[in-house]
């Protein structure tokens, strides 16, 4: 489906842009101490989790037969829980580093 291909391409492009922005802003955050790299990582994780959820929704919505919705299922079963686990881990590490 053309709509599914367009959404997947948009999601992959947005993920790549978020990854590059995360790397650049983390480098600047280490130079300036007023921006926390943990906060930047958390925002990037939330954005990528949202992109994953949108891709999964469109994959389920456009599934017709057979294994058409398997990408969305894998994203919901693996991708979103990993994003949540990493976000919780980032929060814990940021609190530990604040107390030092």
């Amino acid at each position: 489906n053309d709509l599914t291909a367009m959404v997947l391409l948009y999601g992959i492009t947005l993920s790549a842009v978020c990854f590059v922005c995360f790397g650049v802003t983390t480098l600047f955050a280490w130079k300036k101490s007023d921006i926390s790299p943990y906060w930047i990582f958390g925002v990037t994780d939330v954005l990528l989790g949202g992109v994953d959820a949108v891709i999964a929704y469109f994959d389920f919505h456009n599934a017709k037969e057979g294994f058409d919705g398997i990408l969305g299922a894998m994203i919901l079963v693996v991708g979103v829980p990993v994003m949540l686990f990493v976000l919780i881990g980032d929060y814990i590490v940021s609190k530990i580093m604040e107390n030092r």
Side-chain angles (χ1 to χ4, degrees):
N1 192 343
D2 291 336
L3 179 62
T4 304
M6 183 180 71
V7 168
L8 288 174
L9 179 63
Y10 178 73
I12 291 168
T13 304
L14 186 61
S15 298
V17 168
C18 285
F19 183 73
V20 169
C21 290
F22 168 68
V24 170
T25 51
T26 301
L27 289 175
F28 283 117
W30 282 331
K31 298 293 181 186
K32 294 184 170 196
S33 63
D34 58 340
I35 302 172
S36 171
Y38 301 109
W39 185 82
I40 295 169
F41 185 75
V43 169
T44 305
D45 190 43
V46 168
L47 289 174
L48 292 178
V51 168
D52 283 349
V54 168
I55 289 172
Y57 170 76
F58 276 104
D59 192 51
F60 280 142
H61 185 65
N62 292 323
K64 305 250 187 294
E65 61 184 37
F67 293 107
D68 284 347
I70 195 137
L71 175 65
M74 292 302 291
I75 289 173
L76 286 180
V77 169
V78 177
V80 174
V82 166
M83 291 286 182
L84 290 174
F85 179 72
V86 169
L87 188 62
I88 291 169
D90 177 55
Y91 177 76
I92 292 169
V93 169
S94 69
K95 289 301 177 185
I96 290 171
M97 295 305 282
E98 280 180 4
N99 292 334
R100 285 187 165 196

